[in-house]
Amino acid sequence: MELKPTQLKIKYESAPERCEVCHKTDCFEPNTGSCSRCSVLVRWQETSTTMTAPASVTVERYEGQLNLIQSWQDKKLLKSLIIPIILSSPAILLWWLIVFLSLIEDINAGKFFESFIAFIFLILPSLGWLLGPYYLLASYKNKTTIVLTNKTLSIKHVPIPWLGNRNMPASNLVQLYVRQGKRTGTIFNPSYLYDLRAKLKNGREINLVGNLASKEVGHFLEQQIESYLGIVDQPIQGEVPK
């Protein structure tokens, strides 16, 4: 039996009332037929494949949201931290012993002002030395999570408390770039950390994520954020070349 094609008649046409991708109306503009949520997502999907994610970075995509999770762990960085801590430990312990004995002697002799000065000389170098193990622990355990939407950018360092958490409007970002940061390693085998920086609408420049173990990680984060927000990359004086 031969089937005849069914003829369909369109009675009327109307403008779309919701997005064809996410099927929602909250970010949909009927006059232009565009969705601010999905247009950003599609643009990011088209451009985000230009770079391969480094091993230390995890990319998570959700509806209207991009998460970039960067692990601080890096064998070269951890090695550069462990060696100075181990080498300085005997000198710190010897310093503690000398100052502590001097402190006890001053207290027994009733020299309270001298005891206070000895106490200060005992505490200050100790605090400086303790920052090394704290930084080492953070470098081993911490992750930086960048949560990006078309409206906000938030940056958190967890689980070890650390400075640099941010929460700001995404529209404040004008340009991102990577700059060479602190020097690490040894005299004979030096290496550098890198900072992901941002230029803002008000003319200020800030660190978004600092102390990155490689420039490749910084350039990948830069590319992902700029692509998601539709920021056209432009050369910045002093940036690390891609």
Side-chain angles (χ1 to χ4, degrees):
M1 181 177 63
E2 183 179 356
L3 297 177
K4 296 182 179 180
T6 302
Q7 293 183 350
L8 299 177
K9 293 183 179 180
I10 300 175
K11 292 184 178 181
Y12 66 92
E13 295 181 5
S14 62
E17 298 179 352
R18 63 179 184 175
C19 175
E20 295 181 356
V21 178
C22 65
H23 306 293
K24 294 185 178 182
T25 60
D26 57 337
C27 296
F28 184 71
E29 178 56 52
N31 295 328
T32 62
S34 63
C35 175
S36 60
R37 177 193 298 111
C38 297
S39 62
V40 171
L41 179 61
V42 170
R43 180 172 63 247
W44 177 81
Q45 288 174 323
E46 291 174 347
T47 58
S48 63
T49 57
T50 57
M51 294 183 69
T52 303
S56 62
V57 180
T58 302
V59 180
E60 296 178 349
R61 274 185 300 163
Y62 302 97
E63 183 178 309
Q65 180 175 309
L66 171 67
N67 292 355
L68 300 170
I69 305 171
Q70 184 255 328
S71 172
W72 289 21
Q73 278 195 32
D74 181 84
K75 292 181 179 179
K76 291 190 298 183
L77 178 59
L78 292 174
K79 185 178 179 181
S80 68
L81 292 172
I82 291 174
I83 292 176
I85 292 174
I86 293 176
L87 293 178
S88 63
S89 295
I92 291 294
L93 293 175
L94 181 60
W95 173 260
W96 284 350
L97 179 60
I98 294 173
V99 176
F100 181 75
L101 292 176
S102 175
L103 178 63
I104 296 298
E105 183 179 346
D106 290 339
I107 292 175
N108 292 334
K111 300 178 180 179
F112 298 106
F113 179 76
E114 289 81 354
S115 301
F116 176 75
I117 297 298
F119 179 76
I120 295 297
F121 275 92
L122 178 65
I123 292 298
L124 291 181
S126 302
L127 292 176
W129 183 82
L130 289 174
L131 288 176
Y134 187 86
Y135 186 26
L136 179 64
L137 179 62
S139 299
Y140 181 73
K141 296 289 292 183
N142 266 14
K143 293 182 180 180
T144 296
T145 300
I146 303 173
V147 179
L148 186 65
T149 70
N150 58 346
K151 294 183 179 180
T152 61
L153 168 72
S154 69
I155 300 175
K156 292 183 179 180
H157 310 293
V158 291
I160 308 299
W162 202 262
L163 298 175
N165 294 341
R166 294 185 180 276
N167 193 1
M168 59 187 294
S171 58
N172 282 358
L173 297 174
V174 174
Q175 192 66 225
L176 282 79
Y177 64 98
V178 177
R179 188 181 68 178
Q180 184 174 286
K182 294 185 296 187
R183 176 173 172 170
T184 62
T186 64
I187 299 177
F188 303 102
N189 186 26
S191 58
Y192 294 90
L193 300 177
Y194 297 87
D195 302 326
L196 175 62
R197 294 180 58 81
K199 295 185 68 174
L200 306 181
K201 278 186 176 180
N202 60 10
R204 290 180 58 212
E205 296 188 15
I206 60 172
N207 257 12
L208 286 183
V209 184
N211 296 334
L212 297 170
S214 70
K215 62 181 180 181
E216 288 77 18
V217 172
H219 286 145
F220 179 79
L221 296 177
E222 173 194 356
Q223 187 263 345
Q224 294 293 297
I225 296 173
E226 288 185 341
S227 296
Y228 189 89
L229 296 178
I231 299 174
V232 179
D233 186 49
Q234 296 179 356
I236 301 292
Q237 185 176 4
E239 72 174 339
V240 178
K242 293 180 177 63

